[in-house]
Each structure stands twice: as C-alpha cells, then as structure tokens.
C-alpha cells in the first residue's frame, strides 16, 4: 500500500511539473500608473571602474506594466547624448518607490561623460521622466559623485 501511495505521489508531482505554466507563476500584478513620476533620490554613481559605471536613482513607483527599464542616454557632448544603456527591473506593487540601476559599459578611461536618466515600460512607453543633464568622469579620477551641469 505504501509503495502504491509513493508511486501516485511521484506521478502527481512529475505531472504538475511537466504541465505547469512557469510564466503564470512569475507574473506580477499590474501596478496603478503614477500621476507623475519623479526622481526622489540621485542620480548618483554607485560604482565606477575604468571601463564601466553604474548609475543609480530612485523614483516613486511608476506603475503600469510589471517590467520596466531604467534608461541612461549618454555621450561625451552634453548636447548629443546618442548612446543608450538600459537595465530591466520588475516593479514591486507593494513598494511606493523604485530603485533603478543602469550599467554603462565600454567607457574610455579618464573621460567626462554627460547623461540623463529616465524609465520606460516593457512596451517602450515612457514613464514621462527625463532628468536634467548630469556628468561624471570615468575611473582614473577620484570622482565618485554625479554632478549636475550648470
């Protein structure tokens, strides 16, 4: 009898694994869209190495689709920010704020870069957030803090 119950339990467990839908188990609920998305902290340099930098900022929870992207437009000319870096994030509907972190790779050492930050939904719809232009100098200089252009 115990062997029969064990076989039934194994069969049921295997069947549920084979026929389960992984996407439905990971799907987050949609968060109500914020009336206005604003930066409440940062942006700031979280990590600076010779060829990469991570920029972090916090906004109120933008809401909308569960998957969002932090976006950094950057370049060496403050009037021509044509390079783009983005990183995905999954919104937590229980949190009132969201921390974005975006990694910028392949930087030239000891070079000043200008950037703006923003965020978009998975469907590329903007959250309506675009920061002023900031700048940093890639590693080689002891500059760790983002500075707003004046």
């Amino acid at each position: 009898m115990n062997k029969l119950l064990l076989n039934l339990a194994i069969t049921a467990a295997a069947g549920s694994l084979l026929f389960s839908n992984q996407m439905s188990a990971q799907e987050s609920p949609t968060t109500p869209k914020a009336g206005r998305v604003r930066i409440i902290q940062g942006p700031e340099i979280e990590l600076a190495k010779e060829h990469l930098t991570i920029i972090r900022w916090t906004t109120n929870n933008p809401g909308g689709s569960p998957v969002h992207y932090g976006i950094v437009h950057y370049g060496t000319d403050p009037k021509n920010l044509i390079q783009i870096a983005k990183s995905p994030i999954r919104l937590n509907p229980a949190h009132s704020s969201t921390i974005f972190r975006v990694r910028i790779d392949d930087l030239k050492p000891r070079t000043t870069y200008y950037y703006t930050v923003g965020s978009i939904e998975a469907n590329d719809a903007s959250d309506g957030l675009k920061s002023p232009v900031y700048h940093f100098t890639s590693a080689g200089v002891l500059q760790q803090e983002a500075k707003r252009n004046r």
Side-chain angles (χ1 to χ4, degrees), residues 22-35:
Q22 290 180 342
M23 291 307 290
S24 65
Q26 295 178 355
E27 196 170 308
S28 296
T30 299
T31 307
K33 286 189 76 69

Side-chain angles (χ1 to χ4, degrees), residues 14-27:
S16 68
L17 289 174
L18 290 173
F19 297 104
S20 67
N21 182 347
Q22 290 180 342
M23 291 307 290
S24 65
Q26 295 178 355
E27 196 170 308

Side-chain angles (χ1 to χ4, degrees), residues 3-13:
K3 194 172 191 180
L4 176 63
L5 290 175
L6 179 61
N7 282 338
L8 285 173
I10 290 171
T11 302

Side-chain angles (χ1 to χ4, degrees), residues 3 13 27 47 52 71 94-95 115 118 122 143 149:
K3 194 172 191 180
E27 196 170 308
L47 176 71
L52 74 91
I71 301 285
H95 291 173
Y115 68 95
Q143 188 170 359
N149 285 337

Side-chain angles (χ1 to χ4, degrees), residues 60-140:
N60 56 311
N61 191 329
S65 68
V67 176
H68 271 63
Y69 291 87
I71 301 285
V72 176
H73 293 267
Y74 68 101
T76 55
D77 177 351
K79 294 180 179 14
N80 194 23
L81 306 178
I82 59 172
Q83 294 173 281
I84 299 173
K86 69 180 188 176
S87 295
I89 187 170
R90 184 167 293 276
L91 297 182
N92 185 332
H95 291 173
S96 62
S97 63
T98 300
I99 299 171
F100 291 93
R101 289 180 174 89
V102 175
R103 177 179 168 151
I104 304 173
D105 289 303
D106 302 322
L107 299 174
K108 296 176 188 168
R110 296 175 303 282
T111 302
T112 298
Y113 287 91
Y114 300 88
Y115 68 95
T116 61
V117 301
S119 61
I120 60 172
E121 292 188 62
N123 64 2
D124 289 334
S126 172
D127 287 325
L129 172 72
K130 185 176 179 188
S131 75
V133 176
Y134 292 87
H135 72 277
F136 67 91
T137 300
S138 55

